[in-house]
Amino acid sequence: MLKLASDFSYDKYGVHTRLVNEDDAAFIVKLRTNERVGNFIHATSPDVEKQKEWIRAYKQREDEGLEYYFIFFKNDVPFAVNRLYHMEDPTRFTSGSWIVEPGYPTEDVVASSLIPRIIAFEQLGREMEFGVEGCHEDNKKVIKFNLMVGMHIKGTRTEEGGLFYTFDMPKEDFYKAKTKLEKLLNLK
């Protein structure tokens, strides 16, 4: 199984990406507890120390190549996080926990979604993205965006919080959609 180095970083579309570390805990808590952007994600404690504990546990999963949590920077300022997980099968992954600071340009928002997928397909040799946890039915912007990046609705699941759409996306469908988005947004 291919793995990323612990000091992995990646630059594309004018965005710098690296793996999360404990120093990012306050920024992550700020994003995850922001009511405007955090209302469709699992509840997060406002305690930065608890986030640091979570990051320490995550780093063990990172070392095993099971999960990667990225932070994105524009002009050295963090603006988003996104994660690759459900990577036990060496051909598949899930991209999720995607949160972007409000007010960033569309190009940067889209980049923070495309980059983890590019890393999964190109650097980690994955062939299929699958979103088994799904996207809440009321999260219409993300559902629309998922379809725009090449994902397909595969089903639904219901839990206490409501109805969730599940998705999957073969590598080739992502690259078709990626090419269109790059052209539309002039991403280089």
Side-chain angles (χ1 to χ4, degrees):
M1 174 168 52
L2 298 172
K3 291 199 236 176
L4 300 179
S6 61
D7 63 349
F8 176 82
S9 68
Y10 188 80
D11 293 288
K12 189 165 184 76
Y13 308 129
V15 170
H16 176 70
T17 307
R18 67 164 170 76
L19 295 168
V20 161
N21 61 52
E22 285 185 53
D23 294 337
D24 302 317
F27 174 73
I28 293 168
V29 167
K30 177 181 141 190
L31 275 183
R32 291 187 64 88
T33 58
N34 180 318
E35 289 182 22
R36 185 169 162 204
V37 295
N39 55 339
F40 291 112
I41 60 172
H42 296 291
T44 299
S45 168
D47 184 341
V48 173
E49 287 306 313
K50 286 189 183 211
Q51 184 65 49
K52 286 180 181 181
E53 288 174 24
W54 188 94
I55 290 170
R56 282 191 289 275
Y58 143 73
K59 285 295 191 181
Q60 292 175 354
R61 297 186 300 276
E62 177 189 291
D63 287 343
E64 296 171 26
L66 297 174
E67 186 174 327
Y68 297 102
Y69 198 14
F70 302 101
I71 186 165
F72 302 86
F73 296 83
K74 187 70 174 198
N75 301 320
D76 297 323
V77 177
F79 74 92
V81 293
N82 202 340
R83 194 163 61 112
L84 298 174
Y85 55 105
H86 290 308
M87 299 179 68
E88 295 77 12
D89 178 331
T91 65
R92 305 181 86 164
F93 70 96
T94 297
S95 178
S97 303
W98 178 42
I99 313 169
V100 182
E101 181 104 59
Y104 272 79
T106 302
E107 296 82 4
D108 297 334
V109 173
V110 170
S112 68
S113 175
L114 295 179
I115 289 170
R117 291 172 164 118
I118 292 167
I119 292 167
F121 288 129
E122 292 180 8
Q123 310 248 337
L124 297 171
R126 304 298 166 130
E127 296 296 323
M128 172 77 77
E129 178 175 355
F130 68 113
V132 293
E133 293 173 4
C135 184
H136 192 277
E137 65 182 329
D138 292 338
N139 200 352
K140 299 199 184 308
K141 285 183 181 178
V142 171
I143 292 169
K144 184 177 179 180
F145 185 80
N146 282 345
L147 297 172
M148 229 172 34
V149 296
M151 296 194 87
H152 309 279
I153 295 175
K154 294 311 279 184
T156 59
R157 68 177 185 76
T158 305
E159 66 176 45
E160 188 177 317
L163 181 70
F164 292 78
Y165 291 100
T166 59
F167 297 87
D168 76 5
M169 177 174 53
K171 182 178 186 176
E172 357 9 287
D173 291 353
F174 169 71
Y175 278 97
K176 287 178 198 169
K178 175 183 154 300
T179 299
K180 289 178 189 174
L181 284 168
E182 287 172 335
K183 190 173 188 177
L184 176 70
L185 297 172
N186 197 28
L187 290 171
K188 297 176 182 170

